[in-house]
Amino acid sequence: MKVVLTAILFLVLQGCASHNLTVYEQLGGRSKVTEIVDNFITQIEYDEVMFAYFEDSNITRFKEKMVEHICVITGGGCTYSGDSMERVHTGMNIPERDFNHAVDLLIAAMNDAQVPHRLQNKVLATMAPSRSEIIYR
Ligand code: HEM
């Protein structure tokens, strides 16, 4: 009985704790975000569809701006120094299919970084608003 109560108390406290933390903090901050972005870049390198978009890109810059961007949208309080989502992606004429594919690669990147699925969903939710700025219309 004591064990059960302790377990319940632990779960409740854990729930409260994560409730007060930003998604960025729940992820584990800069090192985990950097790991996710590194994994994402590896996914892109091995993916024919995505790699085509990045052929002429400066990957060092992409990595830096992507880490900043994720930090900002997950509540990490960073300053984003890159271009707006609309400015960067307009002209690439990205169809919805390729956007969804990029999200799949990001999920794979988070799986490789051992991010729990519930937390992955929170990260994806922070990106949902920029969907319409990235997809070609
Ligand atoms: C999940 C949504 C996405 C987010 C949050 C995102 C975010 C970003 C960020 C922060 C940058 C760097 C901006 C800068 O250099 O100033 C970037 C660049 C880029 N993104 Fe996205 N992106 C997303 C989806 C996509 C998709 C679906 C594609 C292609 C299918 C794509 C292709 C690119 C390319 C090629 C660059 C590099 C542009 C360049 O070299 O100038 N992105 N993205």
Side-chain angles (χ1 to χ4, degrees), residues 40 44 49-59 61-70 73 80-85 87-89 92-103 106 124 126-128 130-131 134-135:
F40 186 50
I44 291 170
V49 173
M50 283 298 286
F51 188 76
Y53 285 98
F54 283 87
E55 227 158 21
D56 298 324
S57 295
N58 176 341
I59 294 299
R61 178 190 160 101
F62 172 73
K63 179 179 165 175
E64 183 189 308
K65 306 305 179 201
M66 192 70 175
V67 168
E68 279 177 9
H69 178 78
I70 294 178
I73 61 177
Y80 178 62
S81 61
D83 295 320
S84 74
M85 290 300 97
R87 190 187 162 96
V88 174
H89 301 96
M92 290 186 204
N93 298 348
I94 300 170
E96 190 170 10
R97 184 186 62 242
D98 290 354
F99 179 90
N100 292 340
H101 185 57
V103 172
L106 186 63
L124 295 175
T126 66
M127 290 179 177
S130 59
R131 189 183 168 90
I134 292 170
I135 294 173

